[in-house]
Amino acid sequence: MQRNIRIILVETSHSGNIGSAARAMKTMGLNQLYLVSPKQPIDDQALALAAGADDVLKNATIVDHFEQAIADCELVIGTSARLRHLQNTLIDARKCGEKTIQFCQTGKVALVFGRERVGLTNKELLKCHYHLNIPTNPDYSSLNLAMAVQLVCYEIRMAWLADKKNYFNKENANLPLSSIENPYPKSLELEHFFNHTEHLYKQLGFIKNQGVIQKLRRLYQRAKIEKTELNILQGMLTAVEKQLATEQKQKIVK
């Protein structure tokens, strides 16, 4: 569980929040912390608020861009307070914990927390398969970063404890290899497919604004495409490109 679940903090403003988040992680058995372009380094305040989770901080991976943090993950769940345009992909913390444990047994899962004041951008949210919303009291919805991380990590641990007997019993030794290997593509592979799709559809004149590709992203992510299915879709795009190239050559000859 520890190796395959990572907590990603995007452009954190206060180092103390990083330390508090590390403490929240360690109490629930998680230790893979990724920091995307933090505004402040891991300093004495971060170490003080980590309260013994120094190892999580010292082993944290720091990257410059969001895409680098999720590139090798098969499941990406982003937190968001925005609801209107994310209805089809919204999950609560309990469902988030269940999905995380389901996927982490065979692949990498990223739980993404945005900036303290503005959260994740729309572009970042589009790269997430699901969007986690914590239904706080509408009259007082103030939930700081470390609290949110603690709540989500708790649900992950509870889901792991509930699933422990089912997954780690002897029956799994008898499962065929294909049933326990992760069949889902990594985030980087999906991103390549989306870029390929956008390039070709623009060439065909089908995509004329970003709204279309955003809707296609949500559609494909909601469909939980497997690697073999993604290969078929990539093959279809390549076949169309080859046909276009052939027709273009024929026009030149004529």
Side-chain angles (χ1 to χ4, degrees), residues 163-215:
D163 190 66
K164 191 176 179 181
K165 291 182 180 179
N166 294 329
Y167 184 72
F168 292 103
N169 60 21
K170 294 181 180 179
E171 292 179 6
N172 277 303
N174 299 321
L175 289 175
L177 184 62
S178 60
S179 70
I180 59 175
E181 287 182 338
N182 186 14
Y184 298 103
K186 300 184 188 308
S187 178
L188 187 63
E189 294 169 331
L190 269 178
E191 195 60 30
H192 175 72
F193 167 69
F194 289 138
N195 290 335
H196 193 179
T197 299
E198 183 175 8
H199 174 76
L200 178 58
Y201 284 11
K202 281 184 176 178
Q203 187 179 348
L204 292 170
F206 179 72
I207 291 181
K208 296 181 181 179
N209 60 70
Q210 283 301 110
V212 175
I213 192 63
Q214 289 175 2
K215 286 181 171 61

Side-chain angles (χ1 to χ4, degrees), residues 23-245:
R23 179 181 183 179
M25 290 171 59
K26 188 168 183 177
T27 58
M28 295 296 126
L30 301 178
N31 58 22
Q32 300 296 309
L33 176 61
Y34 277 62
L35 304 175
V36 178
S37 190
K39 298 301 182 183
Q40 293 184 5
I42 296 173
D43 54 18
D44 290 342
Q45 184 182 18
L47 290 168
L49 290 177
D54 301 25
D55 54 327
V56 177
L57 292 180
K58 291 176 180 177
N59 293 319
T61 300
I62 302 175
V63 297
D64 294 325
H65 305 290
F66 174 66
E67 291 76 13
Q68 293 173 280
I70 64 170
D72 61 341
C73 294
E74 285 82 7
L75 177 65
V76 182
I77 300 176
T79 55
S80 176
R82 283 167 275 180
L83 303 177
R84 188 168 58 86
H85 66 294
L86 300 174
Q87 290 296 329
N88 292 330
T89 53
L90 279 177
I91 57 174
D92 59 24
R94 188 144 301 170
K95 183 62 70 173
C96 171
E98 293 169 357
K99 287 186 177 296
T100 297
I101 293 305
Q102 175 190 348
F103 274 79
C104 80
Q105 294 171 0
T106 53
K108 291 183 172 62
V109 181
L111 288 304
V112 188
F113 296 82
R115 302 152 188 86
E116 289 96 332
R117 292 186 61 189
V118 297
L120 296 171
T121 65
N122 288 335
K123 183 178 180 181
E124 290 162 347
L125 287 170
L126 280 171
K127 297 179 186 297
C128 301
H129 299 91
Y130 293 98
H131 302 95
L132 167 64
N133 179 261
I134 299 172
T136 53
N137 176 8
D139 296 326
Y140 187 72
S141 59
S142 179
L143 190 68
N144 70 30
L145 178 60
M147 287 179 179
V149 172
Q150 183 74 81
L151 192 154
V152 173
C153 290
Y154 169 78
E155 291 293 350
I156 290 172
R157 185 160 185 83
M158 292 303 292
W160 175 70
L161 291 171
D163 190 66
K164 191 176 179 181
K165 291 182 180 179
N166 294 329
Y167 184 72
F168 292 103
N169 60 21
K170 294 181 180 179
E171 292 179 6
N172 277 303
N174 299 321
L175 289 175
L177 184 62
S178 60
S179 70
I180 59 175
E181 287 182 338
N182 186 14
Y184 298 103
K186 300 184 188 308
S187 178
L188 187 63
E189 294 169 331
L190 269 178
E191 195 60 30
H192 175 72
F193 167 69
F194 289 138
N195 290 335
H196 193 179
T197 299
E198 183 175 8
H199 174 76
L200 178 58
Y201 284 11
K202 281 184 176 178
Q203 187 179 348
L204 292 170
F206 179 72
I207 291 181
K208 296 181 181 179
N209 60 70
Q210 283 301 110
V212 175
I213 192 63
Q214 289 175 2
K215 286 181 171 61
L216 286 174
R217 275 180 176 270
R218 291 178 189 145
L219 170 64
Y220 284 127
Q221 289 174 336
R222 193 164 64 244
K224 298 180 183 177
I225 297 173
E226 297 184 1
K227 289 181 181 178
T228 53
E229 295 167 337
L230 186 65
N231 289 337
I232 292 171
L233 291 172
Q234 288 278 29
M236 291 169 60
L237 295 178
T238 301
V240 173
E241 286 179 327
K242 288 181 178 178
Q243 182 62 32
L244 288 175

